[in-house]
Amino acid sequence: MKRLLRHLLTGAAIAVAAAAGAAAPAGAVTQQEGGVWFGPELDWLADSPEGYADRLGATPATYLLRLGYPIDDDAAARWERAASDVAAQGAVLALVLEPTIDLENLDSGDADAFNARLQSLHDQYGTFHRIRFAPEMNGSWTEWGQQPTAYVDAFEVVAQAVHDGDSTAEMVWSPSYGAGYPFERADGRLEDLTFTDLQRLDTDGDGSVTEADDPYGPYFPDPASVDRVGLTMYYFGKGEAGAAAGRDVPLERNKAPETGEVSERLQERWGYTTPQDETFYERFAVGEDKPFTLDTGALYDQSLEGDSEIEVKRDWWRQVLAELPDYPKLTALTWLEVVREEAEAGSEEVDWRATDDDELASDLLDDLEGTGVIRWSPITDVVTPDQGYASTVQVREGGDEIKWITGSAAVLALAYLLSGVVGKLLPKWRYSDDSSTRDLRIDMVRGFVIIVVVVTHIEVLSPYSLASLKVIGAITGAELFVLLSGIVLGMVFLPSVKRVGEWPAALGAWARARKQYLVALAVILLIFILSFVPFIDASAIMTFTDRGTGEDGETTTGRVYNLYPNAERLLDYPPPWYAVRQFLLLEMGPWPFNIMGLFVVLSLAYPALMWLIKRKLWWVLLIGSWGLYLVHDFFPGFAPLPSQFNAVFPLFAWQVLFTHGLVIGYYRRQIIRALTSIPGKILAGVFVLGYAGFLVYLWAGDTYGFTPTPFPADLYGQLYDNGYQRIDLDWGRLVDLPLVIICSYAVLTVAWKPLNALMGWLWVPLGQASLYVFTVHVFFALAVANIPGLDRQSFWQGTIIHTVVIALIFLMVKKKFLFSVIPR
């Protein structure tokens, strides 16, 4: 219970901090100093920041990742995933660069290429980096060790590139604790030293490199290239000062550290045979005025007897934490959180982790918090997948947007007026409404809407894309998609009940919802699998690059959001629960598919909602629906589900469209009779002409310079921002929606035959299989993204692509390809 409560409180704190971070200007990292930053070095192939934070019960300030240098494609991919995961917690990424080639062969080109990636990731994710180039360079166990001249040159080259850039990253110089130096008992390579290096390392001038020589100074670069100093100081369980540094001393039993060992080490007394004049801390932290980072950890061999794991590890970290008051420049601690083979333990596999055991993790958190100085995340702006999901609904900015909305409303109002004339003059064109379960006018509109969705998500320039962005005014295809789906389900419910009964009809509806859910999981998983296929780049739909038109405006331009958080953990055996949970709750997935989760949830609620409507309690349903809408309006950050869709299409807001659709569909006949009566025609006409006239009147005042009394002169200029933006389901979009429905329905009713002959062959079958089309279009979006040499701004290329995609989807619908698998 204690651990659960701690998780809940931590989650609440993270949510509050994330909300606060979102309110700040996004894009520029607002790194916050203060306290001691604590975090782990993870085994990134088997662990993740989310998993670690879940085990510890708090979110660390920093994480450490090791990469080979120069950076190859594999390292770049791992780096990008880590940067994205760390940014989602507002944490700092400590990046260890381990040279994979001789230091002499590293050059400025490698450093510039590294810095280009560093800056790109900083811009994309807002991740703050601390760069540790070739740490433990004074050790003999690293390929780059004990080569002071080449090391210093290489460090300074990397530092120059980083400091010349604008990533704000820090360079960290971090040798290993010096007792036992030059570690000739452990694979020493002193015989390979050049004359220059030998002179540099022979600090006492006796002609050889011994334990009497300085273990740090020869490797220290130009102080201007170093932003922070660090020290690696692990506990290998040997227990004796004289055996602390030599790998030839076997580890025979687990032993808790001696009292005061950490203090002795920080004072450069533990394990030395020659007294040191100054401590590392005094020389490089205080003397050079640099912040100090300590990398530490305590190993435990599960196969050996001796002291318990909790005694070994807890005693060690408690000694470390006890030293914090005496070392004010010690501002960051990293704990080694891996299981690996260790030469110090006879190349046996040992456990360095402090959170794998619940009791151990709980004690660690208690002790960290007990210091009163440990700083948790967020340290930087929190860049979450939810922000990425939300950014996929793009705001249309600029003064012309409200003009397009006004123009669309005026055209629809004119079409509504003309529909009355056409209905009188050409009655043979009318739609014959004799079906209780199928209305082809609705199918026609759904077909048009689903084409708009396909065109919008396949982002190339064409006549289709220009029309889809402007033709339906303030609303998007999503509003119509949800509303019309509700209408269709409301229409078919009563006939289904009459045919099989209410309970079987409900079971059938839930079976359909289950099928939708399984298909959603399948699509998410298939895209993830395809990302591993050579020559397929799935990042176009597995990530989303902010175009600067989202809620935060241009400040987030270029930021890249990972929409598959922790998906790689699904490959673990067994996969961790947090990754499985994110998959099952649809917290990951391709961005063109995110509304699918909303349909799954609404479909699950559908039988219960229809139970109310069938008993004439539609008014109860609508009151409750608007109540939920108001909850969202007053508490927009509240999310009943963590699913991906909720950041884009908040359930409490968007359900209002679906519930109204159900009521409209169920009472379609009665509503049509009411609206086609004289009072109904008058009311509909007043709404259509009044709304369009209102917008035109304000537009005229703004255009011709008069005050549109009784409205303020600047009202027109504020309308778009206050009621029509696409980042939320505001009043303007809700009003625009019935305008589009009423006018389009009226036009289709009186001019059905020519319109059906013109476009019905395409729109009607696509509308009748709209959910199928929506599902398969994700794979077309992926295919288009992988067309080599594609120019997305080429009008003729875009026209061909959109035409071919629509034609192929139409052919698949006509052939009923996979109709038995994919819901329609």
Side-chain angles (χ1 to χ4, degrees):
M1 178 61 75
K2 178 182 176 184
R3 190 108 186 261
L4 176 61
L5 180 60
R6 185 175 283 150
H7 279 303
L8 293 174
L9 292 174
T10 300
I14 292 170
V16 170
V29 175
T30 55
Q31 180 194 346
Q32 301 175 36
E33 298 290 351
V36 177
W37 296 0
F38 173 83
E41 175 184 343
L42 296 181
D43 177 358
W44 292 83
L45 296 178
D47 202 355
S48 72
E50 183 156 345
Y52 181 83
D54 184 64
R55 297 193 305 272
L56 180 63
T59 307
T62 181
Y63 292 90
L64 188 143
L65 170 70
R66 294 181 182 271
L67 294 177
Y69 178 83
I71 304 295
D72 59 19
D73 290 342
D74 177 65
R78 291 193 291 118
W79 183 7
E80 182 167 355
R81 286 194 295 270
S84 172
D85 291 346
V86 166
Q89 295 183 353
V92 171
L93 184 59
L95 194 65
V96 172
L97 300 182
E98 298 183 327
T100 55
I101 61 177
D102 290 343
L103 292 174
E104 293 86 350
N105 294 330
L106 297 173
D107 56 29
S108 60
D110 300 320
D112 290 340
F114 166 75
N115 185 61
R117 291 186 184 273
L118 177 68
Q119 291 190 181
S120 175
L121 291 178
H122 175 73
D123 294 340
Q124 290 176 6
Y125 301 112
T127 307
F128 178 75
H129 290 79
R130 284 179 170 168
I131 312 302
R132 305 184 188 191
F133 176 79
E136 302 182 46
M137 79 300 298
N138 59 337
S140 59
W141 50 87
T142 61
E143 293 297 325
W144 55 88
Q146 300 185 343
Q147 304 168 59
T149 303
Y151 169 78
V152 167
D153 290 343
F155 185 99
E156 292 175 354
V157 168
V158 175
Q160 182 69 43
V162 171
H163 289 160
D164 285 347
D166 56 10
S167 67
T168 71
E170 292 181 349
M171 290 296 299
V172 183
W173 176 69
S174 184
S176 180
Y177 176 62
Y181 178 85
F183 314 110
E184 67 269 16
R185 291 174 293 168
D187 307 330
R189 58 166 66 93
L190 298 181
E191 64 275 9
D192 296 327
L193 290 177
T194 65
F195 177 75
T196 300
D197 279 349
L198 181 59
Q199 281 191 313
R200 192 165 185 167
L201 295 181
D202 182 18
T203 57
D204 65 357
D206 66 355
S208 61
V209 181
T210 67
E211 293 186 12
D213 290 306
D214 181 359
Y216 306 125
Y219 307 94
F220 188 58
D222 180 350
S225 67
V226 178
D227 302 299
R228 175 176 293 268
V229 296
L231 194 63
T232 299
M233 194 174 72
Y234 296 132
Y235 177 66
F236 291 100
K238 302 300 180 59
E240 299 176 10
R247 280 187 259 179
D248 56 342
V249 179
L251 180 66
E252 297 178 343
R253 60 186 288 110
N254 294 299
K255 190 176 188 307
E258 298 288 341
T259 301
E261 177 173 343
V262 171
S263 175
E264 289 289 294
R265 283 174 179 253
L266 290 175
Q267 295 178 57
E268 302 290 337
R269 291 201 290 255
W270 185 273
Y272 281 98
T273 58
T274 302
Q276 302 296 299
D277 294 333
E278 286 186 291
T279 68
F280 179 91
Y281 181 85
E282 291 168 340
R283 293 176 62 186
F284 301 104
V286 176
E288 299 292 344
D289 193 23
K290 307 288 185 184
F292 178 40
T293 295
L294 183 65
D295 287 0
T296 193
L299 69 75
Y300 187 81
D301 190 332
Q302 302 287 352
S303 66
L304 298 179
E305 297 180 349
D307 293 330
S308 68
E309 182 177 14
I310 198 166
E311 290 175 316
V312 172
K313 296 178 179 178
R314 186 177 59 190
D315 285 3
W316 182 257
W317 78 57
R318 283 182 173 175
Q319 286 194 36
V320 171
L321 297 178
E323 296 301 314
L324 294 180
D326 295 331
Y327 294 88
K329 284 189 170 293
L330 204 172
T331 58
L333 285 174
T334 298
W335 183 274
L336 186 57
E337 186 76 11
V338 302
V339 174
R340 68 185 186 190
E341 291 183 358
E342 199 65 63
E344 289 275 4
S347 297
E348 296 295 325
E349 189 175 84
V350 294
D351 191 339
W352 293 90
R353 297 172 298 177
T355 63
D356 186 57
D357 177 81
D358 286 349
E359 182 182 0
L360 199 60
S362 180
D363 285 353
L364 174 60
L365 182 58
D366 287 342
D367 290 341
L368 288 169
E369 292 182 336
T371 66
V373 298
I374 296 298
R375 174 68 184 275
W376 305 107
S377 280
I379 300 297
T380 65
D381 293 345
V382 177
V383 182
T384 66
D386 279 352
Q387 293 171 325
Y389 309 147
S391 73
T392 64
V393 178
Q394 298 293 285
V395 180
R396 299 190 304 182
E397 293 185 333
D400 289 341
E401 293 309 324
I402 191 63
K403 294 179 181 178
W404 273 103
I405 293 169
T406 301
S408 298
V411 170
L412 286 169
L414 180 62
Y416 180 79
L417 290 175
L418 291 176
S419 69
V421 177
V422 172
K424 293 290 186 182
L425 299 179
L426 298 166
K428 292 184 179 180
W429 283 8
R430 290 186 66 86
Y431 179 80
S432 178
D433 191 2
D434 54 5
S435 172
S436 61
T437 60
R438 188 99 255 171
D439 189 330
L440 296 181
R441 290 166 294 185
I442 295 176
D443 291 334
M444 176 85 83
V445 177
R446 293 176 79 195
F448 168 76
V449 169
I450 197 61
I451 289 176
V452 168
V453 171
V454 172
V455 167
T456 302
H457 289 167
I458 297 178
E459 300 177 307
V460 292
L461 182 64
S462 76
Y464 306 97
S465 60
L466 296 177
S468 67
L469 286 172
K470 304 293 186 182
V471 75
I472 49 180
I475 63 174
T476 67
E479 292 97 321
L480 285 169
F481 200 19
V482 175
L483 177 66
L484 293 175
S485 295
I487 291 174
V488 170
L489 290 175
M491 288 172 56
V492 302
F493 182 77
L494 191 55
S496 178
V497 169
K498 290 179 179 178
R499 186 173 64 254
V500 300
E502 188 169 6
W503 181 245
L507 292 177
W510 281 321
R512 183 174 184 272
R514 182 182 69 247
K515 187 175 183 180
Q516 290 177 356
Y517 174 62
L518 293 176
V519 168
L521 293 178
V523 170
I524 293 169
L525 201 56
L526 280 172
I527 296 298
F528 179 58
I529 292 171
L530 287 173
S531 70
F532 293 97
V533 177
F535 312 115
I536 293 181
D537 180 10
S539 63
I541 59 176
M542 292 178 66
T543 64
F544 189 80
T545 303
D546 200 306
R547 291 81 186 270
T549 54
E551 187 173 10
D552 291 322
E554 294 182 359
T555 58
T556 53
T557 300
R559 176 177 288 177
V560 177
Y561 304 93
N562 175 21
L563 306 184
Y564 270 76
N566 298 305
E568 291 81 8
R569 300 281 67 81
L570 294 173
L571 304 177
D572 296 346
Y573 183 79
W577 167 241
Y578 65 86
V580 175
R581 182 202 65 221
Q582 288 181 308
F583 173 61
L584 295 178
L585 292 181
L586 308 182
E587 294 181 56
M588 59 180 72
W591 67 264
F593 196 59
N594 48 29
I595 201 173
M596 189 66 175
L598 177 65
F599 280 106
V600 171
V601 175
L602 295 176
S603 296
L604 287 171
Y606 165 60
L609 302 179
M610 292 310 301
W611 185 91
L612 289 172
I613 295 173
K614 186 175 182 296
R615 286 154 182 80
K616 304 186 186 305
L617 296 175
W618 56 269
W619 57 273
V620 174
L621 172 61
L622 295 187
I623 290 174
S625 177
W626 280 106
L628 292 178
Y629 181 87
L630 291 175
V631 169
H632 169 73
D633 196 51
F634 285 106
F635 306 100
F638 175 72
L641 290 170
S643 306
Q644 184 190 79
F645 76 85
N646 207 79
V648 194
F649 309 102
L651 177 61
F652 280 7
W654 282 72
Q655 54 77 31
V656 79
L657 303 178
F658 186 73
T659 55
H660 282 68
L662 293 178
V663 174
I664 293 170
Y666 189 84
Y667 291 106
R668 181 176 68 98
R669 292 294 185 187
Q670 296 90 322
I671 292 173
I672 290 175
R673 282 198 299 269
L675 290 178
T676 53
S677 67
I678 292 178
K681 290 179 179 178
I682 293 173
L683 287 175
V686 168
F687 167 72
V688 170
L689 298 178
Y691 174 58
F694 165 73
L695 291 177
V696 171
Y697 178 50
L698 294 183
W699 166 81
D702 183 75
T703 303
Y704 297 107
F706 66 86
T707 300
T709 307
F711 307 107
D714 61 347
L715 179 59
Y716 188 71
Q718 299 175 9
L719 272 182
Y720 182 75
D721 289 338
N722 293 329
Y724 292 94
Q725 286 198 44
R726 291 191 173 189
I727 56 176
D728 212 344
L729 197 61
D730 282 335
W731 65 267
R733 293 168 72 182
L734 291 176
V735 173
D736 217 55
L737 189 57
L739 174 75
V740 172
I741 291 292
I742 291 173
C743 294
S744 60
Y745 203 76
V747 170
L748 288 172
T749 298
V750 301
W752 172 255
K753 289 186 179 179
L755 291 175
N756 183 48
L758 180 65
M759 294 304 302
W761 61 273
L762 175 64
W763 289 356
V764 170
L766 293 185
Q768 292 175 343
S770 57
L771 201 55
Y772 170 90
V773 175
F774 179 75
T775 301
V776 301
H777 97 285
V778 176
F779 297 93
F780 283 97
L782 176 61
V784 170
N786 282 270
I787 296 176
L790 173 64
D791 181 1
R792 291 183 177 271
Q793 296 303 310
S794 169
F795 197 78
W796 71 266
Q797 290 185 41
T799 302
I800 292 173
I801 286 172
H802 277 152
T803 302
V804 170
V805 168
I806 293 170
L808 289 174
I809 292 178
F810 175 71
L811 181 63
M812 292 169 67
V813 169
K814 296 298 287 185
K815 296 296 184 180
K816 299 182 179 180
F817 180 69
L818 293 180
F819 266 30
S820 61
V821 176
I822 303 174
R824 300 187 294 280

